[in-house]
Amino acid sequence: MTLTIILLGAAALIGIGLYGALSQQSFVMLMMGLELMLNGALLAIIGFWSLSLGGMPEGQLLAIIVMAVMAIEMAIGFALIVAVYRKRQADMTESIGTLKQ
Amino acid sequence: MTDLLVTLLAAFTVWTGWRVFRVDSMVRASFSLMLSFIAVGGIGVLLSAPYIGVATVFMMAVEMMVMAIFMVMFMMNPAGLNPMSMVHQHRFSIGAGVVAALGLGAAVLLSSPPSNPVLSDADVVAELGHELLGPSMLIFETAGVTLLATMVGAVILSSRQGRFGNADEGSRPPGLSPDGEPAGRKPDNGGEGHHHHGGHG
C-alpha cells in the first residue's frame, strides 16, 4: 500500500515535470521541470528499494547515481544558459529560434 | 504511523512540485522545488534509507540556493508582484504531462511488485559503503570522473573567453539559406533578442 502511494506520487511528479519542461519559456524554469522529473525518479527508486527489493545495496547506488545526474544536469545546464546569454542575450527558448534551421 | 507520514510527505512533495509552476516569482519556485526535494529526503529517512535521505536534503538545500542565485540573474519578475506566466505550447504540455502521469499511475496500479521490505535490523549504510567500494567501485569512480569533467566543462562553457581571446573573433555564422544573411544576433543592434518582458504584460 505504501509502495503504491509512493509510486503514484512519483508518477505525478514526473507528469508535472514533463509539463514544466515542455511548457516553460525561460531556460531556468525549464530546468526546474527536468529536476522535478529526476525527483520523481528518485522517489520511485527509494520506494522500490525499501519496500520491494529487500534492501539490495544496488538500489541505494542507483539513487546516488540519480543525484549525480541532477548535479551534472544543473552545472552544465547553467553553464549553457550563461554561454547562450553571453552570445545571444537570450534567456527564453523563443530567442534562439535559429536553432530550428 | 510511518505509512501516514509517508503518505503526507508524498502528497506534500507533489503539491510543492505543482507550486513550482504556479507561483509568481522564480525564487519562490526554486524554494518550492527545494521543499519538494526535502520531502523526498524525508520519505527516504522514514523508509530506512537514512544516508540517501539526508544526502538528498543536504544536496538539494545547497543546489536550490545556487539555483535561486541564477533565478535572480535571469529573472524577469523579481518580487513576484505581477502575475507570471511564461508558457508556450500550453495545451500540448498539459496533455503530455497528464498522459505521462496517468500512464505511469495506471502501470503502478495494474502491476503488483513483490513485497519485500528492508529488515529492520539491517545496517543499510554499511552495506552501501561496501557496495560502493566493492563490486560497484567502477560505477562509483566513473561518476566521480564524470563530475570532474562536468566541472571543467561548466567552467569552459561559462567563461568569457579562452586563453587566446574570443574563440569566435572575426567569424561569421552561416546563413540560414544559401548566400543568406548570417544567422544569429547582429553585432550592431545589440540587445535585439532581449525579449525580457514577454510574459507579464
Side-chain angles (χ1 to χ4, degrees):
Chain A
M1 188 57 207
T2 319
L3 182 59
T4 310
I5 293 167
I6 288 176
L7 291 181
L8 283 178
L13 279 178
I14 289 176
I16 296 170
L18 186 64
Y19 158 74
L22 287 177
S23 73
Q24 296 294 313
Q25 287 180 310
S26 165
F27 291 134
V28 195
M29 292 299 283
L30 193 154
M31 277 177 53
M32 306 196 79
L34 297 179
E35 292 267 332
L36 213 50
M37 280 196 271
L38 285 170
N39 193 14
L42 188 64
L43 183 57
I45 289 169
I46 289 176
F48 268 128
W49 170 81
S50 171
L51 297 167
S52 194
L53 283 179
M56 259 168 75
E58 286 89 347
Q60 297 192 69
L61 180 73
L62 190 57
I64 285 187
I65 289 175
V66 168
M67 278 196 250
V69 169
M70 278 181 193
I72 291 169
E73 178 248 315
M74 202 182 87
I76 291 293
F78 278 132
L80 280 173
I81 292 173
V82 171
V84 168
Y85 191 76
R86 285 239 169 88
K87 256 321 159 230
R88 301 281 195 89
Q89 299 289 310
D91 63 349
M92 309 262 277
T93 45
E94 266 73 9
S95 315
I96 51 172
T98 49
L99 280 184
K100 276 186 192 165
Q101 302 283 333
Chain B
M1 188 60 200
T2 309
D3 282 5
L4 181 66
L5 275 176
V6 166
T7 310
L8 287 177
L9 279 175
F12 184 71
T13 185
V14 172
W15 182 70
T16 44
W18 174 241
R19 291 296 295 163
V20 168
F21 300 111
R22 290 287 98 192
V23 289
D24 283 335
S25 148
M26 285 160 90
V27 172
R28 280 183 218 156
S30 165
F31 284 116
S32 183
L33 186 59
M34 180 172 85
L35 287 178
S36 179
F37 276 117
I38 287 177
V40 170
I43 291 177
V45 172
L46 283 175
L47 290 182
S48 60
Y51 180 80
I52 302 293
V54 174
T56 307
V57 171
F58 279 155
M59 196 178 130
M60 288 310 145
V62 176
E63 192 171 322
M64 288 307 134
M65 289 301 158
V66 177
M67 204 135 186
I69 294 173
F70 275 90
M71 291 293 181
V72 176
M73 277 169 67
F74 289 101
M75 185 160 46
M76 48 283 292
N77 185 9
L81 298 176
N82 308 318
M84 177 180 83
S85 170
M86 304 163 300
V87 290
H88 54 184
Q89 49 180 9
H90 202 205
R91 283 213 186 127
F92 170 73
S93 312
I94 292 177
V98 168
V99 166
L102 287 185
L104 288 170
V108 170
L109 290 177
L110 293 179
S111 64
S112 51
S115 173
N116 184 10
V118 186
L119 299 174
S120 55
D121 58 344
D123 195 357
V124 292
V125 181
E127 279 177 11
L128 173 64
H130 286 299
E131 178 72 23
L132 283 183
L133 297 181
S136 300
M137 196 171 196
L138 184 62
I139 302 171
F140 186 52
E141 295 295 326
T142 310
V145 175
T146 312
L147 282 169
L148 177 66
T150 303
M151 283 191 264
V152 175
V155 170
I156 290 173
L157 273 176
S158 56
S159 69
R160 194 176 286 277
Q161 59 179 19
R163 193 186 297 173
F164 303 108
N166 280 328
D168 60 345
E169 196 173 312
S171 70
R172 277 163 57 92
L176 295 180
S177 55
D179 302 322
E181 281 279 293
R185 188 165 61 97
K186 308 285 181 296
D188 291 331
N189 53 0
E192 149 66 26
H194 208 85
H195 296 305
H196 255 207
H197 307 282
H200 55 96

